[in-house]
Amino acid sequence: MERIHDIKAIAFGLLSPKVIKEMATVEITKPELYDSDGFPIEGGLADLRLGVIDPGMRCRVCGGRIGQCFGHFGYVQLVKPVINPLFAKKIYDLLRLTCRKCGALLVDKEELKKAKKLSDVLKKVAKRCPVCKAEQKEIKWEKPTTFFEGKRRLNAEEIRERLERIKDEDLPYLRIRGGRPEWMVITILPIPPVTVRPSITLETGGRSEDDLTHKLVDIVRINERLKRNLELGAPDFIIEDIWE
């Protein structure tokens, strides 16, 4: 009998947009799940490339039937980026500790190394960038994911651009491992397989979808609505209202 090797460590990290696309089998662009005949719609959240949960159907990726196919991931390309609320506090620290123009550290690296928490060195943040000499402005955070620079609100695109400027060699000092900081702002949303969110058939013959599927339907519908409004040239305040 083969011996299972001991697990020495488990590392958690952020999925990059590239990895999410590579592991996905289909892009989801339609909020509808089934057609009038009850067959999964291509490009919808029940697409057969996401796996199968109905007897008699085969997965279009692996060819497996129910019980054989464990499901496959899809993805949604977001029209506008969205801040991951789980990382809002971390983003807040990064915005205050790095230059608004070039992404350079505003605190000495030795101070960052000695600090137990990033918040311990915030009083030592330089008011001017030591690299590009740009004057820094006060950053405020309104929970869950709203950020202001002075009186001006920062949108998710601006925040992502700022995080992109942070150099790889500075990431260890900022307590970031397992990914890039801009990946905390979502541009591509992974869609879990249908086997993770199976529907059930009611006594009446109708379907009842999983709560996760209902929420994903809302996301896809709003995303497609936003895309149409952008193509029609809708004003920014209408775009923000739709996305929020």
Side-chain angles (χ1 to χ4, degrees):
M1 182 178 178
E2 293 185 5
R3 181 177 179 273
I4 299 176
H5 294 287
D6 294 332
I7 298 174
K8 295 181 179 179
I10 296 176
F12 294 91
L14 297 165
L15 285 176
S16 71
K18 181 181 178 182
V19 168
I20 293 173
K21 270 192 172 183
E22 287 176 346
M23 74 179 190
T25 58
V26 57
E27 180 180 4
I28 305 303
T29 58
K30 300 174 183 176
E32 299 81 17
L33 280 77
Y34 307 98
D35 61 20
S36 57
D37 296 323
F39 194 81
I41 290 175
E42 189 170 321
L45 287 159
D47 192 302
L48 291 176
R49 286 168 287 185
L50 296 173
V52 290
I53 52 173
D54 292 324
M57 290 188 176
R58 285 185 179 273
C59 172
R60 286 181 56 192
V61 176
C62 64
R65 296 183 182 274
I66 185 172
Q68 298 174 325
C69 171
F70 295 106
H72 310 275
F73 272 83
Y75 75 92
V76 171
Q77 181 76 52
L78 298 182
V79 177
K80 290 284 187 179
V82 175
I83 294 172
N84 189 329
L86 295 176
F87 298 109
K89 176 61 170 65
K90 185 70 173 181
I91 291 172
Y92 183 42
D93 288 340
L94 294 178
L95 291 176
R96 290 185 292 174
L97 290 168
T98 58
C99 175
R100 58 192 293 267
K101 292 293 184 181
C102 70
L105 296 176
L106 298 174
V107 179
D108 184 81
K109 291 181 179 180
E110 291 303 316
E111 293 287 350
L112 286 167
K113 284 174 67 175
K114 290 187 294 183
K116 292 183 178 180
K117 298 184 296 182
L118 290 180
S119 56
D120 293 341
V121 297
L122 289 172
K123 292 182 179 179
K124 299 179 181 180
V125 169
K127 294 183 179 180
R128 282 191 179 272
C129 175
V131 177
C132 71
K133 309 304 178 184
E135 185 178 352
Q136 305 304 306
K137 298 182 179 181
E138 184 182 8
I139 301 291
K140 293 181 180 179
W141 172 35
E142 288 187 5
K143 297 181 180 180
T145 58
T146 302
F147 295 90
F148 290 89
E149 184 179 62
K151 295 182 178 180
R152 190 175 72 86
R153 180 177 175 178
L154 296 173
N155 61 45
E157 288 174 301
E158 292 175 304
I159 291 171
R160 195 175 198 280
E161 287 173 2
R162 292 193 184 193
L163 299 178
E164 286 175 346
R165 298 187 194 119
I166 301 174
K167 296 179 180 179
D168 287 340
E169 56 264 33
D170 291 336
L171 298 184
Y173 299 101
L174 296 169
R175 314 290 203 272
I176 296 177
R177 293 183 296 177
R180 286 284 308 169
E182 64 266 22
W183 300 346
M184 299 178 191
V185 181
I186 304 168
T187 55
I188 296 179
L189 183 70
I191 299 296
V194 291
T195 48
V196 174
R197 45 184 179 85
S199 60
I200 59 172
T201 304
L202 305 174
E203 293 180 358
T204 58
R207 283 181 178 270
S208 178
E209 299 298 333
D210 186 88
D211 288 346
L212 178 55
T213 299
H214 282 298
K215 185 52 62 178
L216 290 171
V217 166
D218 291 340
I219 292 171
V220 175
R221 180 179 289 114
I222 292 170
N223 194 55
E224 289 302 305
R225 180 184 170 194
L226 179 60
K227 182 178 180 180
R228 288 195 300 270
N229 277 271
L230 282 172
E231 291 171 347
L232 294 171
D236 289 343
F237 71 90
I238 293 180
I239 299 300
E240 291 180 5
D241 185 55
I242 292 172
W243 203 223
E244 292 177 358

